[in-house]
Amino acid sequence: MKIQNKGKKRTALRITAIVILPVLCVAAVFCNAFIPRNVADYYCTNIFPYLSKPMQSINMFFHYSLTENFVVVLAPLFVIGLVVWCVFLVKRFMSHGALSYLYKSFRNLFVLILIGAIIFQAMHGFNYKRTHVTKAMILTEEELTFEDYCAALKWAYMGMIEARSHLGEDYNGVAHMDESFENSALYACSLLDAFSEEYNVPLSENYVRAKPVSMSHYWSYTHIVGMYDPFLAEVNVNTDYMSINEFPITLCHELCHAKGYASETDCNTLATLACCSASRADFRYAGYYEIFWNLYYVADDIAEATGEVVPEFPVTSEMTPVYRDMRASHIYWRQIDNEVDRIKEILGIDITEASDVVNDTFLKTNGESGVESYHVPDSVYVRFYLTYAGAEDA
C-alpha cells in the first residue's frame, strides 16, 4: 500500500508540475504588461542600474561579442543535443521508460524558459513600462504651427550642413566616422551620460562597452544593425558598413537599452537628440540628418495640404555631399538585398522578411506597436527645438 501511495503521489506531483510550469512561464513572459508605471520607474531608476552592473562590468573585459560567440557555439550544440535527445527517446520507448523521460525533458525545458523569462524581465522587460523620455525632458505642449515645423527644419538643416563640412571624405567623396569603433563606443557612452544629466533623463550611469560583431555582413541580411542582449547585458553593433548617417544613432540607441530604456521610440529619441548635442561632428551630422529628413517630409505634406511653401533645402548646393553619403549607404543595402534575394531563390526563405516578422512579434508581445515603434513622432523634434534649441537661438 505504501508503494502504491508513493506512486500516486509521484504521479500527482508530475501532473501538477506539467500544469503549473507552463502557467508560470506564461506569467513570467507577460508580467511586465501589468506592472504599474510608478513601480517601473522606481525599478528602472533605483534597482536596474545595480542589477545590471555586475554583468556589464564582466563584459567590459572582453573586446569581442560574447553574444555572437555563444550563438556560434550553442547553435551546433543545440542540433547535436536534439539528435542525442531523440536517440535516447527511442531507446526509452523500447525499454518502456519513455513517459518518465518525456516528463523530465518537459520539466527541464520549462524550468529553463522560466529562468530565462525572469532574467529577461529583470534586465529589459520591466523597462518597457517606465515613463517615456519626452515626459522626463518636459517638452512644450503648445499647439504646433507650420512655422514651428519650418523653424525646426531650418535648425536641423543648418546643423547637418555645418557638421558635414567638418568631416573628411574618401576618394569617392563619402564621409566616414572620424575615429575607430572602440573610441566611438566609448564616446557614445559618455555622450549619453552628459545628455542625461543636462536634460534630466534618468539613464543608468553605468559604463557599458559596445561590441562589434564579426559576422556583421551576414547579420545585415536581417536588416538589423544593433541588438541589446539582456541575458548578458551586452550591446552588439553591426559594423559591416558603418554608415556615417546611421551608425552613431545605432550605437547610442543600443546603449540606451543597456542604460535602462526598452522602448524603441524612447531609445531613438534619446540617441538622435544626444547626437545633435555632440562635440564630434560625425555624431552631430547623424543626429541632425535624422531630424532633417524626418521633418522635411512632414512639413512638405502640411504645405501641400495648406498651400504653404516649404524652404527648398534639399536642392541647395550644400546638400551635394549629403547625397553622396546617402547614395553610398543605398548601394550597400542594395547589395545586401541582392544577396538575400539569391538565398531566397535557393532556399525559399526571405531572411529579411522573416526577421521583420519575428521582431514585430517580439515588440508587440512587450506592449510596443511592432516595428513601427522605431519611428519617433515628428512633433517630438519640433517640441525639443522650441523648448531648448529655439530658446537658445532666441
Side-chain angles (χ1 to χ4, degrees):
M1 288 297 294
K2 289 183 179 180
I3 295 177
Q4 290 180 350
N5 288 336
K6 285 183 179 179
K8 289 180 179 180
K9 287 181 179 180
R10 188 182 298 113
T11 301
L13 287 173
R14 288 180 175 181
I15 293 174
T16 302
I18 289 173
V19 174
I20 290 179
L21 280 174
V23 172
L24 290 176
C25 288
V26 171
V29 169
F30 294 101
C31 67
N32 61 343
F34 304 98
I35 300 294
R37 194 169 297 279
N38 61 332
V39 174
D41 286 340
Y42 180 86
Y43 173 83
C44 296
T45 305
N46 299 288
I47 299 176
F48 173 79
Y50 300 101
L51 197 63
S52 59
K53 190 168 186 176
M55 200 65 224
Q56 290 170 348
S57 298
I58 293 172
N59 278 325
M60 184 176 63
F61 295 101
F62 296 89
H63 292 271
Y64 53 85
S65 168
L66 296 177
T67 303
E68 179 182 21
N69 281 272
F70 272 115
V71 170
V72 170
V73 172
L74 293 179
L77 287 180
F78 173 77
V79 174
I80 294 172
L82 187 60
V83 172
V84 171
W85 181 84
C86 291
V87 170
F88 273 99
L89 180 61
V90 171
K91 288 184 177 180
R92 291 302 178 95
F93 264 115
M94 296 175 65
S95 61
H96 305 290
L99 287 178
S100 177
Y101 183 68
L102 285 172
Y103 163 74
K104 290 179 181 179
S105 300
F106 174 91
R107 179 197 62 195
N108 295 342
L109 174 63
F110 276 92
V111 167
L112 286 175
I113 293 173
L114 180 60
I115 293 172
I118 292 172
I119 295 173
F120 171 80
Q121 295 293 2
M123 299 296 289
H124 193 58
F126 292 158
N127 297 354
Y128 278 107
K129 295 297 291 184
R130 70 183 307 176
T131 299
H132 291 298
V133 68
T134 51
K135 297 291 185 181
M137 289 192 291
I138 315 177
L139 303 181
T140 179
E141 297 182 359
E142 65 183 67
E143 185 176 350
L144 301 179
T145 65
F146 177 72
E147 288 72 21
D148 293 333
Y149 272 87
C150 288
L153 181 64
K154 181 180 179 180
W155 164 68
Y157 171 79
M158 297 300 292
M160 176 179 65
I161 297 303
E162 182 274 334
R164 182 60 176 81
S165 68
H166 292 291
L167 299 177
E169 298 179 343
D170 62 16
Y171 60 89
N172 289 318
V174 177
H176 295 287
M177 297 297 295
D178 281 346
E179 298 187 29
S180 67
F181 174 88
E182 190 68 26
N183 288 342
S184 296
L186 176 62
Y187 177 80
C189 196
S190 299
L191 174 63
L192 289 170
D193 288 343
F195 185 87
S196 169
E197 183 176 354
E198 182 174 358
Y199 294 100
N200 196 35
V201 177
L203 281 172
S204 163
E205 296 180 357
N206 292 353
Y207 170 69
V208 182
R209 185 175 196 167
K211 309 289 188 64
V213 173
S214 300
M215 300 180 70
S216 286
H217 181 77
Y218 305 104
W219 191 16
S220 290
Y221 292 166
T222 64
H223 276 223
I224 294 175
V225 291
M227 184 196 72
Y228 166 64
D229 179 355
F231 300 102
L232 297 177
E234 185 178 65
V235 168
N236 293 268
V237 181
N238 187 321
T239 55
D240 190 41
Y241 180 66
M242 293 165 58
S243 169
I244 189 69
N245 300 332
E246 301 172 355
F247 178 76
I249 293 178
T250 297
L251 185 55
C252 291
H253 175 106
E254 300 306 329
L255 287 171
C256 285
H257 281 317
K259 284 175 167 289
Y261 274 89
S263 165
E264 305 298 343
T265 305
D266 285 342
C267 288
N268 266 348
T269 300
L270 280 169
T272 302
L273 294 176
C275 283
C276 291
S277 69
S279 58
R280 277 179 51 171
D282 47 0
F283 277 74
R284 288 202 312 278
Y285 177 49
Y288 283 119
Y289 173 92
E290 175 70 16
I291 294 175
F292 174 77
W293 287 115
N294 184 295
L295 294 183
Y296 179 78
Y297 291 114
V298 176
D300 191 51
D301 288 341
I302 295 174
E304 186 176 349
T306 60
E308 301 282 355
V309 178
V310 181
E312 296 184 347
F313 294 127
V315 297
T316 61
S317 59
E318 289 88 351
M319 287 292 291
T320 301
V322 178
Y323 289 134
R324 288 199 297 267
D325 302 336
M326 294 172 65
R327 184 163 55 250
S329 180
H330 174 73
I331 290 172
Y332 169 77
W333 287 109
R334 186 172 61 190
Q335 292 173 342
I336 291 296
D337 289 339
N338 289 338
E339 293 180 32
V340 171
D341 289 340
R342 286 196 290 272
I343 293 174
K344 183 179 180 180
E345 291 175 2
I346 298 172
L347 301 178
I349 300 173
D350 189 317
I351 297 176
T352 304
E353 185 177 309
S355 171
D356 283 343
V357 171
V358 171
N359 195 24
D360 188 71
T361 302
F362 168 79
L363 291 172
K364 288 179 178 177
T365 300
N366 286 284
E368 296 273 88
S369 57
V371 293
E372 291 297 320
S373 60
Y374 287 98
H375 176 71
V376 178
D378 52 87
S379 60
V380 169
Y381 296 136
V382 180
R383 295 185 190 283
F384 179 84
Y385 167 76
L386 294 174
T387 305
Y388 297 106
E392 293 176 1
D393 292 341

